[in-house]
Amino acid sequence: MALIDPTLLTSENGLLENAQIVILVLSTLVFWMRLYQLIKLRHLTLLAFGLFISNLPFVGAGRELSFGAAIGADPDLVTTIQIVMATFWAALTLCALGLFILRVSPKLAAIGRYFTHPTSLNIYAAILIFGLSSAFEQGAFYLPHSTLMEELLELVAFSLILRAAWVLREKTRP
C-alpha cells in the first residue's frame, strides 16, 4: 500500500497543483519585492525587464488555478476573476514594455545583457522543463503518459521561476 495516493497528488486542484500555485504566488511576491528594490535604486532598465518577467508567475497561477473548483464559485464569478486578472496582466505588460522601450539602449549589446541575465537563464531552464513535462502529459518522444511526472516537472519548472525572481537584482549597472 502506498503512503500517498497518487490521485490525491495529481488530481485537479490536488496537492501538487496547489503546491505549484503557492510557488507561483510566492514567485510573484518575490518579483515585486525585487522590483521595489530596483525602484529605490532607480535602475529603470532592470526594473522594466523585471516587471515584464514578473508577469510569468502571475499568468501561471491563473492558468493553474481552476477557480470554480478551488473556491466553489459560480461561473459568473469565475469569469469576473479571470477578467480582472487579465486586465491586471495586460496593464503590467504594457507598462513594462513602454518602460523598457524608453529606458533600454537600442544597442544590441545592452539588450543582450538581459537575455543572459541570471533571471533569464532560470526562465530558459523552466521552459525546457515545461517542454519535458508536456512530453509526459502527451506521451510524446516515447515517454510514458504520466500525470505524476508532468505535475512534478511543472513543480520543478515553477521552482526555477521562483529562483529567477530571487536572482533579479542589480549586479553591475548596465
Side-chain angles (χ1 to χ4, degrees), residues 57-86:
F58 183 75
V59 170
R63 181 189 159 276
E64 286 298 321
L65 184 59
S66 301
F67 292 107
I71 62 176
D74 66 78
D76 290 337
L77 180 59
V78 172
T79 302
T80 302
I81 292 170
Q82 289 172 333
I83 289 170
V84 168
M85 283 187 73

Side-chain angles (χ1 to χ4, degrees), residues 20 31 74 85 88 98 100 107 112 120 142:
Q20 293 168 5
F31 265 121
D74 66 78
M85 283 187 73
F88 186 68
F100 193 73
K107 295 178 184 171
S120 295
Y142 303 105

Side-chain angles (χ1 to χ4, degrees), residues 99-117:
L99 188 59
F100 193 73
I101 289 170
L102 290 173
R103 298 300 303 176
V104 174
S105 169
K107 295 178 184 171
L108 190 56
I111 294 170
R113 278 193 285 258
Y114 295 102
F115 287 119
T116 59
H117 191 278

Side-chain angles (χ1 to χ4, degrees), residues 2-131:
L3 293 175
I4 298 177
D5 181 9
T7 57
L8 291 175
L9 290 174
T10 61
S11 64
E12 191 67 25
N13 293 317
L15 184 63
L16 287 175
E17 278 201 5
N18 287 332
Q20 293 168 5
I21 293 166
V22 167
I23 289 174
L24 288 168
V25 169
L26 184 61
S27 298
T28 301
L29 294 174
V30 170
F31 265 121
W32 290 349
M33 179 188 69
R34 294 293 190 212
L35 294 174
Y36 177 73
Q37 292 168 346
L38 291 171
I39 289 170
K40 289 187 344 186
L41 292 171
R42 298 187 186 276
H43 194 310
L44 295 182
T45 53
L46 190 56
L47 173 67
F49 169 73
L51 187 59
F52 183 76
I53 295 296
S54 73
N55 285 309
L56 291 175
F58 183 75
V59 170
R63 181 189 159 276
E64 286 298 321
L65 184 59
S66 301
F67 292 107
I71 62 176
D74 66 78
D76 290 337
L77 180 59
V78 172
T79 302
T80 302
I81 292 170
Q82 289 172 333
I83 289 170
V84 168
M85 283 187 73
T87 303
F88 186 68
W89 174 81
L92 278 177
T93 301
L94 290 175
C95 288
L97 185 60
L99 188 59
F100 193 73
I101 289 170
L102 290 173
R103 298 300 303 176
V104 174
S105 169
K107 295 178 184 171
L108 190 56
I111 294 170
R113 278 193 285 258
Y114 295 102
F115 287 119
T116 59
H117 191 278
T119 295
S120 295
L121 299 177
N122 281 281
I123 297 295
Y124 302 151
I127 290 169
L128 289 173
I129 300 293
F130 276 124

